[in-house]
Amino acid sequence: MTAANLLSDRRAILLLGLLAALAAAPLAAGDYALSILITVLLQAYLGMAWNVMMGFAGQFSLGHALYVGLGAYAGGALFAHFGTPPLVGALAGMVVSAVAGSIIGTLGFRFKVMGVYFALLTIAFAEFTRVLFDHWNWVGASSGLFLPVSHSVNDDFWNLRGSATMFYYVILGMAAAAFLFSRALLGRRIGYYWQAIREDQDAADALGIDVFRAKMVAVIISASMTSLGGLFIAFYNNNLYPESIFSMHRSIELMLGTIIGGIGTLFGPILGAVALTALGEALTVIGAHIGIDGVKQIAYGVCLMVILAFRPGGLWPWLRHRLRLDGGRR
Amino acid sequence: MDATFFMNVISAGLLTGLVYGLMALGLSVIFGVMRVVNFAHGDMMVVAMYATYLLYTKLGLQPLAALPLVAGALFVFGYVLQRVLINRFLGVTEHIQFLLLLSVAIIITNVVLMVFGPDARNIQLDASFESYSLGPLVLDKVRVIAAVGAGCVAALLWAFFRYTTTGTAIRACADNPVGARVVGLDVEKLYAVTFGVGSACVGAAGCLLLLLVDVHPHLSSDYTLLGFIIVILGGLGSLGGALLGGVLVGLSEALSGVLIAPSLKTMFSFGLLILVLLLRPQGILGKKP
Amino acid sequence: MSGPMLSVENLGKSFRGLRAVNAVEFQVPRGDIVALIGPNGAGKTTTFNLIAGAFPPSDGRVTLDGADITGLDQARICRAGIGRTFQIVKPFAGLTVEENVMVGALRHDGGDVEKARKAANDILDLLELGDKALQPAQTLTLPDRKRLEVAKALATRPKLLLLDEVMAGLRPVECDRMVAILTGLNKEHGLTILLIEHVMRAVMALSDHVVVLHHGEKIAEGTPAEVTSHPKVLECYLGEDHG
Amino acid sequence: MSDHTQNPSTSKGINRRQFATTVAAGALVTAGGLPIRSARAATPLKLGVLLPRSGHLALIGQACQRGIDVGMPILRDMGYSIELMNADTESNPDVGRTQAEKLIREGAHMLLGCFDSATTLAVAGVAEQKGIPHVVNIGSEPKITEQGFKYVFRNFPSAPTLGRQGLMLYKDMFAASGVTPKTAVLLHINDSFGMGMLGGINALMPKLDLPFTIVETIGYDPKARDLSIEVAKAKAAKADFTMVVTRLNDAILLVREMVKQQVETMGITTPGSPGMYEKQFFKALGKYAEFCTTNVPWFDPKQEVGNQLIHAFEKAFPEESCDINVSFSFEAALIAADAHKRAGSTDPQALTEALRTTNITKRANLGGAITFDAKGQNVNLPSAVVQNLGGKPTVVLPSQSAEAKLAFPMPGFKNRT
């Protein structure tokens, strides 16, 4: 397998076509469709960020809402208090998240907290931080933090104030960058190290890999990427509440797409986000016809179960096979 | 704040902690034997609470009288769930198991929501407003009842594992599933019984907890998390550990609520969890993995 | 530089008071193949793990090429120049055979992936796995997995290769292939090898020197011929047979 | 979840238990002669209603929806012409935002909602971008009208206003009862509403020259499962009376715990939070629910529209309580309908202009005419003192609307029969 066929021609064409279609989408799509697409891309982006840690390096984090929240609050609070441009806020958020990630990583990996225990450690940190933010007045505590709304008609990219279309292109760019970044990571030394650790940590260790360092790199990269998603949420929503941004629900939502799509694969998070959103929307429509609230969620649970039962590896490996895109392994 | 005040607070924390412990017992039993982390734990408890509520409002059955019924029903539920669904997923990776039980949780929560609506329900016993006064100590009557009930159920569970053949077989299964299979134990059935017993514990806990708190469908995830904190504190798979963890969380909530700020008390539970995970990852009474 | 490649002095390990390995001493001369044999429970794998750094020794000293590596962890010892295989094979199941080997090779050449791929393929060809390079490792048969273990260890460019029962479970023909491969590595590439083996015909064919362990202690060493006629060795093996 | 309901009472916000009653409500509407009237209007107002009908706020979202559904026939009788487009926000701001966009795409002329402040802000942002007017039924976050939104109109006091008005009413309460306590203990929920109220109370206590001081402030987690510790702490404060800022469930827990721990104070009062006036509170606490007082905007029992609404509601949903969620959601629909009638068109600009000049005197709640200031806030929303008497919330102050006399200090828990 050479670099050239890491992405076979057919797949490259497919991807470029997809990208072109997405880039042209605002011309055709209405605001509703656009907001759905933003949801999809945001979920795909966050899923890819989580995938670095879990899918590539095999470290199960159930508390990624922590990094979403830190990124959102760092960017949001700096902007709300000092008018700091989001790009600077993004940097701050990435640093804070990376630090938080390395604290959790150091503690978890050094003390050999593994598997489910590690996952619960990450939840504990996220919940801990949620309660902390609930009481931190500078960021509005539980009353929430509000970003000033601009009334200018023009999009202001540098301050991330503007129309849905602008936000759409921002998240499209972020998702595309995350995809390319993930691909680059997988094709590099660290990517191979991660996969080795994911498959068998002891064997990886015996091959001279600095396992601790590799895992730390995964956590830090994943946390920083996730925090950027948080920043997007902050500026897109304009208001932040610890209760929702740090919630376990968000952590779960964030990884659901990736697991459904195909954990550890490059395209899985994207496919999973599309599939889940489509499922959600379809169920909303069906639910509206049945006319009982809650049917949607039940059907959602059932669908999830069915996918897990029949495609535990996710949809993408299966679909890739059906589409005969198996040229590269991923 | 005087000594009596602290004694009151501590005793309330202890009593609530025992019920928490019972709830966590179910989680601990299931993990200890099958290595399955039951993320639908809180949801099962909410179902038990609603069942108790129905038995009380429709048939006038007191929660303590309803307890065997509810526990029995949950046993059957757990048994069937394990047989039909979870058994297929025993060997798979953790995150798939997690998602599977999550989807079970989503379904349960929303079925409950559809059937009972989102309102909080509670039952009103005469005892609900009464309390025992032991000198300066004021003990909430239902809290005492619930704690004693939890203690009894825990003792029963211990006796089950200690003195019955099935209980011993399950313990053998937990220690060495391959060996258990070799000596001819029906491991699948034992797993189902285990899941049933774990669920029955949750059922009993739900019954007793309804004396103390109001039930609504969205209570479940809080209790799932709380259950995890408790079993990890005590040690996953350790029965005594679950009770100890429950009491610890009850106490830490009580004391941090008094000494610092009540709204920060969950943070202390999580803080305690982080501390224990780092200092003793297997939990206070847990065995080394 | 002269002196032995590996030198083990007074090596000991206790597990909760249980003495698993006691005062073991031997050397592996540069360019030689040394075999570590003994009945089950003799402490061979423990000795191996002490050398490879899976856990630290309770006492004693391990020197690799003149450098003290006592008590270093597994990864550091690998980087110091010891490549090892596991008795129970540990392939990276989800990766391809080629990628499995690349992981070991990536520590060299500044992590250049293409160079590592090339190196991996060379090693795979050497071990006659070249045609299976693009298969997922989980599809390999046991003999292939054993060879993959060796390939992975080789890819780290070790000065010393530790092989833990790579012949176990192989049929005689496959066993002979492996012997030929290892001999080739030793003769053509000058690789020093320390191996644990139960398959005596492989031990006889391969080793220049044999160390015998029993109950965690060295009871004999010498050439294969010397060792097999050593009374203590016979006693312990016969005793093993009778027990 | 958007559905163009010709028959507005078939709300999706129902569960099976309520199904029968909803059918009854539907029958009621049909009896009101709906087809003829809606045919008469040239272009009815398409009103997008966004409420949290599922998720953790479902209870309140469904109450709000009931208020609107029950109110539809009343509005038609008043000569208004509205078509509802209902959508469920699932108690999630992100869903609220996409649903708002969906409603607008499907032709909603105006939006109504969304009860919780986070979703309301998200939806207001969408409305602002699209230039579609948005009437807020309930939502106490000050930012909703302080953000500078041009299309947002709120007929509900912000948390600080609620707090101020509620606090001022304490003076009237003490004057009416002739008893003036010196100390209070404040228990509050630590969520966005509770913190907003607390902020208002802390800022105003020194300014309002009240006769009492707050000796201890105790916040608790919205997810608190039991409040024994909080109440123990409150008991230890030994204050003359108790002030609380709650939601529903915690209000029940709180009072029950006070009974258990025998915390006897002159009264359990709130300067403006929900909880203690709700039917569930009465059901759960029985005799112990009595005498709790709430200072909130309330139905005007002397107003015709308010009476009509209560009657229609009690007929359709005898099990449910007709509270301010119902009345303010109804009033929001009334405001929307009124603006549409005056604008004479469904053009968003015209509707917005009409909303700005709203002046409705025939309303359901206490207070003068509904009008909006430049920020889109109705500043004319006085609170009443509502005390739980005889198993139902009863207006006791201001005296001109009072149905009964205030009981303060309240009888001790021990002596109740």
Side-chain angles (χ1 to χ4, degrees):
Chain A
M1 194 163 74
T2 65
N5 70 10
L6 188 72
L7 208 67
S8 72
D9 287 349
R10 280 189 59 188
R11 291 211 295 155
I13 291 165
L14 205 76
L15 271 176
L16 282 176
L18 182 67
L19 192 63
L22 283 173
L27 301 176
D31 283 319
Y32 170 59
L34 212 57
S35 75
I36 296 279
L37 281 175
I38 291 176
T39 313
V40 171
L41 288 170
L42 179 63
Q43 172 152 30
Y45 174 83
L46 290 172
M48 285 189 265
W50 180 76
N51 199 30
V52 169
M53 191 166 157
M54 175 65 195
F56 297 173
Q59 305 306 308
F60 192 9
S61 164
L62 258 176
H64 255 49
L66 171 64
Y67 311 123
V68 176
L70 290 177
Y73 268 103
L78 287 176
F79 185 73
H81 285 298
F82 312 118
T84 316
L87 275 182
V88 178
L91 211 65
M94 283 167 77
V95 169
V96 172
S97 295
V99 168
S102 29
I103 290 172
I104 297 174
T106 311
L107 294 175
F109 302 146
R110 276 274 182 254
F111 289 81
K112 303 238 172 354
V113 179
M114 290 197 253
V116 178
Y117 293 88
F118 182 73
L120 290 169
L121 182 71
T122 60
I123 296 186
F125 269 99
E127 288 288 304
F128 189 90
T129 315
R130 173 182 68 81
V131 184
L132 201 69
F133 271 68
D134 258 342
H135 292 83
W136 189 11
N137 286 324
W138 190 69
V139 296
S142 57
S143 325
L145 177 74
F146 301 91
L147 273 63
V149 176
S150 94
H151 292 283
S152 108
V153 193
N154 298 321
D155 290 346
D156 178 0
F157 173 76
W158 299 109
N159 283 317
L160 277 184
R161 308 280 75 188
S163 65
T165 313
M166 183 195 75
F167 279 106
Y168 174 76
Y169 281 116
V170 169
I171 192 68
L172 180 61
M174 281 166 67
F179 181 86
L180 293 176
F181 185 54
S182 298
R183 196 172 73 105
L185 284 174
L186 265 195
R188 293 176 66 85
R189 171 163 64 175
I190 189 76
Y192 287 97
Y193 282 5
W194 285 339
Q195 295 177 79
I197 292 167
R198 177 189 73 196
E199 298 293 329
D200 192 322
Q201 180 170 325
D202 197 29
D205 191 41
L207 290 180
I209 296 173
D210 188 338
V211 172
F212 176 77
R213 188 170 162 269
K215 290 204 284 194
M216 289 300 282
V217 171
V219 175
I220 288 172
I221 289 181
S222 181
S224 315
M225 282 174 77
T226 309
S227 80
L228 278 187
L231 181 95
F232 179 85
I233 293 174
F235 282 82
Y236 184 57
N237 283 8
N238 288 325
N239 53 68
L240 291 171
Y241 299 92
E243 201 188 329
S244 78
I245 200 97
F246 287 109
S247 78
M248 189 167 82
H249 191 78
R250 186 178 294 279
S251 297
I252 291 171
E253 216 171 43
L254 184 150
M255 57 186 232
L256 219 52
T258 304
I259 295 178
I260 294 296
I263 202 162
T265 65
L266 282 175
F267 202 64
I270 301 171
L271 181 67
V274 173
L276 279 184
T277 311
L279 183 66
E281 286 301 303
L283 290 173
T284 302
V285 173
I286 296 167
H289 281 286
I290 299 172
I292 304 168
D293 290 328
V295 169
K296 173 184 169 183
Q297 294 296 324
I298 295 174
Y300 196 80
V302 172
C303 290
L304 202 59
M305 208 182 266
V306 168
I307 294 174
L308 289 172
F310 294 102
R311 298 276 166 259
L315 293 173
W316 176 236
W318 166 75
L319 189 69
R320 179 179 58 195
H321 186 68
R322 299 303 296 267
L323 295 177
R324 301 199 190 142
L325 290 171
D326 272 339
R329 227 178 30 83
R330 282 161 223 104
Chain B
M1 283 184 257
D2 50 5
T4 338
F5 170 69
F6 272 105
M7 270 163 68
N8 274 325
V9 166
I10 289 173
S11 59
L14 271 172
L15 294 175
T16 316
L18 271 174
V19 185
Y20 285 175
L22 178 62
M23 172 191 72
L25 265 183
L27 197 65
S28 194
V29 163
I30 293 170
F31 181 85
V33 177
M34 301 160 63
R35 303 277 130 186
V36 167
V37 177
N38 183 9
F39 270 82
H41 190 74
D43 303 82
M44 284 157 84
M45 195 174 73
V46 167
V47 169
M49 291 171 87
Y50 273 108
T52 312
Y53 169 80
L54 274 187
L55 286 173
Y56 179 75
T57 47
K58 301 289 177 211
L59 301 177
L61 222 48
Q62 299 277 321
L64 279 185
L67 191 140
L69 288 179
V70 174
L74 263 283
F75 176 87
V76 174
F77 177 79
Y79 189 95
V80 173
L81 188 69
Q82 154 66 17
R83 272 270 141 128
V84 175
L85 191 68
I86 295 166
N87 204 27
R88 294 159 201 256
F89 290 85
L90 277 185
V92 302
T93 44
E94 284 148 1
H95 63 272
I96 297 286
Q97 267 180 13
F98 161 73
L99 274 196
L100 178 78
L101 284 154
L102 183 74
S103 56
V104 172
I106 293 174
I107 294 170
I108 295 179
T109 300
N110 286 284
V111 169
V112 167
L113 191 64
M114 259 171 78
V115 176
F116 292 96
D119 340 13
R121 306 296 175 98
N122 72 330
I123 55 175
Q124 215 57 70
L125 302 175
D126 293 334
S128 294
F129 295 103
E130 290 170 16
S131 41
Y132 298 114
S133 295
L134 295 174
L137 210 60
V138 181
L139 289 180
D140 179 356
K141 194 166 175 182
V142 285
R143 210 177 288 274
V144 173
I145 296 175
V148 170
C152 291
V153 176
L156 270 178
L157 190 74
W158 180 79
F160 168 75
F161 280 118
R162 187 83 202 178
Y163 297 114
T164 66
T165 347
T166 318
T168 319
I170 289 176
R171 280 194 297 148
C173 229
D175 285 343
N176 186 350
V178 183
R181 234 180 267 270
V182 169
V183 298
L185 292 177
D186 183 349
V187 173
E188 254 78 71
K189 191 179 155 207
L190 288 176
Y191 278 173
V193 171
T194 308
F195 214 98
V197 168
S199 308
C201 277
V202 183
C207 239
L208 297 171
L209 209 60
L210 191 62
L211 292 166
L212 305 182
V213 303
D214 302 352
V215 60
H216 56 96
H218 292 282
L219 207 59
S220 49
S221 58
D222 290 354
Y223 276 102
T224 305
L225 262 187
L226 186 72
F228 285 130
I229 295 179
I230 292 169
V231 286
I232 288 180
L233 281 181
L236 265 168
S238 152
L239 299 190
L243 284 181
L244 178 68
V247 169
L248 270 182
V249 167
L251 278 181
S252 104
E253 284 193 350
L255 287 177
S256 61
V258 171
L259 298 176
I260 301 140
S263 54
L264 279 167
K265 68 186 182 186
T266 47
M267 196 166 102
F268 278 82
S269 306
F270 284 110
L272 203 58
L273 172 70
I274 293 171
L275 210 64
V276 167
L277 271 177
L278 298 179
L279 296 182
R280 208 176 147 78
Q282 73 270 31
I284 298 170
L285 296 182
K287 288 186 219 115
K288 284 225 170 200
Chain C
M1 201 172 140
S2 62
M5 179 57 82
L6 180 79
S7 155
V8 174
E9 296 158 43
N10 191 32
L11 195 65
K13 177 75 184 175
S14 305
F15 292 108
R16 289 185 199 158
L18 201 83
R19 199 71 180 161
V21 172
N22 190 33
V24 169
E25 300 216 10
F26 64 87
Q27 294 190 336
V28 181
R30 201 171 293 274
D32 272 13
I33 298 182
V34 174
L36 202 57
I37 65 168
N40 283 329
K44 301 179 302 261
T45 297
T46 306
T47 307
F48 236 59
N49 281 333
L50 293 176
I51 296 169
F55 34 77
S58 305
D59 36 51
R61 223 165 89 90
V62 182
T63 328
L64 178 75
D65 205 4
D68 188 355
I69 56 165
T70 319
L72 293 185
D73 63 36
Q74 200 164 226
R76 285 208 176 79
I77 287 185
C78 175
R79 275 173 264 163
I82 295 184
R84 75 164 296 182
T85 69
F86 288 91
Q87 187 178 353
I88 299 158
V89 292
K90 290 175 180 242
F92 303 123
L95 304 189
T96 63
V97 170
E98 177 190 74
E99 287 167 337
N100 263 270
V101 182
M102 282 169 68
V103 170
L106 274 165
R107 238 174 354 91
H108 305 284
D109 296 324
D112 186 317
V113 173
E114 286 320 308
K115 281 188 184 152
R117 195 185 305 279
K118 169 111 187 12
N121 276 302
D122 290 348
I123 293 168
L124 286 172
D125 287 340
L126 203 63
L127 286 160
E128 296 161 4
L129 277 171
D131 53 334
K132 301 195 171 97
L134 295 180
Q135 282 184 17
Q138 58 200 356
T139 62
L140 291 187
T141 58
L142 183 67
D144 284 345
R145 285 180 190 212
K146 293 264 180 190
R147 271 187 269 180
L148 177 59
E149 272 299 286
V150 179
K152 276 160 65 186
L154 275 180
T156 63
R157 301 193 193 166
K159 297 174 185 169
L160 171 72
L161 188 61
L162 301 185
L163 302 175
D164 196 349
E165 300 205 22
V166 288
M167 310 289 176
L170 301 194
R171 281 180 308 224
V173 190
E174 292 159 355
C175 198
D176 291 346
R177 278 304 320 150
M178 188 65 104
V179 168
I181 289 168
L182 293 178
T183 315
L185 281 171
N186 178 245
K187 295 277 174 301
E188 285 159 36
H189 300 267
L191 187 66
T192 314
I193 298 175
L194 172 66
L195 50 88
I196 294 180
E197 208 41 82
H198 267 303
V199 182
M200 285 313 282
R201 56 185 265 161
V203 173
M204 302 309 273
L206 272 173
S207 17
D208 303 302
H209 193 84
V210 178
V211 177
V212 189
L213 293 186
H214 188 47
H215 292 317
E217 300 194 8
K218 187 176 81 174
I219 56 168
E221 70 177 307
T223 63
E226 281 166 13
V227 161
T228 42
S229 55
H230 195 285
K232 267 191 178 173
V233 176
L234 287 174
E235 185 192 325
C236 87
Y237 269 92
L238 286 174
E240 182 85 359
D241 283 347
H242 290 298
Chain D
M1 201 185 295
S2 136
D3 40 273
H4 305 258
T5 27
Q6 284 305 311
N7 182 345
S9 284
T10 47
S11 145
K12 302 295 179 243
I14 53 172
N15 51 46
R16 207 168 276 160
R17 184 172 51 78
Q18 295 158 346
F19 187 68
T21 47
T22 315
V23 171
L28 188 90
V29 176
T30 322
L34 152 75
I36 313 154
R37 284 178 199 275
S38 60
R40 200 166 56 195
T43 33
L45 177 74
K46 285 186 177 172
L47 183 61
V49 179
L50 290 142
L51 291 168
R53 297 198 317 249
S54 63
H56 69 281
L57 296 171
L59 182 61
I60 305 159
Q62 292 178 9
C64 293
Q65 185 76 47
R66 283 194 283 267
I68 293 171
D69 291 345
V70 166
M72 287 308 287
I74 300 174
L75 291 180
R76 282 172 214 288
D77 284 341
M78 291 164 85
Y80 297 122
S81 156
I82 303 194
E83 209 175 274
L84 294 185
M85 296 165 70
N86 294 328
D88 181 6
T89 65
E90 299 172 22
S91 310
N92 178 342
D94 298 342
V95 176
R97 176 199 310 277
T98 52
Q99 290 300 328
E101 257 150 9
K102 192 171 174 186
L103 288 177
I104 294 171
R105 189 195 61 163
E106 289 173 354
H109 303 129
M110 203 188 283
L111 298 179
L112 187 157
C114 318
F115 180 74
D116 67 307
S117 297
T119 311
T120 305
L121 278 164
V123 168
V126 174
E128 193 69 15
Q129 246 168 27
K130 302 291 183 313
I132 295 284
H134 174 195
V135 180
V136 178
N137 60 336
I138 298 175
S140 57
E141 172 57 53
K143 284 277 189 294
I144 292 173
T145 46
E146 302 287 329
Q147 284 271 62
F149 288 134
K150 293 194 197 70
Y151 293 90
V152 170
F153 298 88
R154 174 164 64 176
N155 181 42
F156 196 81
S158 66
T161 311
L162 260 178
R164 192 186 65 237
Q165 296 184 158
L167 282 178
M168 298 215 296
L169 278 170
Y170 278 100
K171 278 188 186 170
D172 301 350
M173 285 164 69
F174 302 152
S177 65
V179 180
T180 306
K182 293 272 172 284
T183 53
V185 57
L186 173 61
L187 287 138
H188 71 92
I189 191 167
N190 188 16
D191 64 1
S192 75
F193 170 74
M195 293 304 284
M197 288 283 286
L198 181 69
I201 292 169
N202 283 344
L204 287 165
M205 277 302 288
K207 291 186 200 152
L208 289 183
D209 189 28
L210 289 166
F212 62 89
T213 50
I214 296 175
V215 288
E216 172 115 41
T217 303
I218 303 164
Y220 55 85
D221 196 313
K223 289 181 170 179
R225 292 165 290 268
D226 92 82
L227 296 174
S228 52
I229 308 309
E230 288 78 353
V231 169
K233 219 174 166 180
K235 186 181 184 182
K238 297 196 167 64
D240 291 342
F241 78 105
T242 314
M243 202 193 275
V244 298
V245 176
T246 59
R247 302 272 191 187
L248 172 59
N249 290 337
D250 49 317
I252 296 173
L253 287 176
L254 206 60
V255 175
R256 189 188 295 146
E257 201 59 46
M258 288 180 73
V259 176
K260 282 183 196 170
Q261 298 195 18
Q262 299 151 18
V263 187
E264 301 283 9
T265 59
M266 285 184 185
I268 303 172
T269 66
T270 169
S273 70
M276 300 200 297
Y277 52 74
E278 295 183 62
K279 199 157 228 165
Q280 201 68 32
F281 187 78
F282 288 93
K283 271 209 308 225
L285 293 168
K287 62 186 174 188
Y288 300 114
E290 290 289 295
F291 307 113
C292 296
T293 63
T294 309
N295 303 351
V296 277
W298 196 255
F299 285 105
D300 192 344
K302 310 264 155 88
Q303 279 263 17
E304 186 202 339
V305 184
N307 259 327
Q308 254 181 324
L309 180 64
I310 294 176
H311 288 312
F313 187 91
E314 283 173 352
K315 203 166 165 187
F317 302 103
E319 282 281 296
E320 302 296 334
S321 74
C322 188
D323 54 22
I324 59 171
N325 294 324
V326 173
S327 68
F328 274 96
S329 299
F330 167 76
E331 269 194 359
L334 173 66
I335 291 163
D338 177 72
H340 169 240
K341 193 177 181 189
R342 282 184 290 110
S345 93
T346 55
D347 173 61
Q349 285 307 325
L351 286 173
T352 309
E353 283 316 308
L355 278 171
R356 237 183 273 292
T357 55
T358 296
N359 189 351
I360 300 174
T361 47
K362 284 178 73 178
R363 61 182 296 195
N365 292 316
L366 272 169
I370 303 175
T371 53
F372 294 108
D373 67 5
K375 291 172 178 169
Q377 174 70 44
N378 180 3
V379 287
N380 196 10
L381 285 163
S383 295
V385 180
V386 179
Q387 185 165 39
N388 297 346
L389 293 170
K392 76 189 255 296
T394 313
V395 178
V396 290
L397 283 172
S399 40
Q400 65 270 22
S401 301
E403 301 166 289
K405 218 172 148 319
L406 172 74
F408 189 91
M410 65 177 186
F413 295 125
K414 272 185 181 166
N415 312 324
R416 298 194 190 174
T417 43

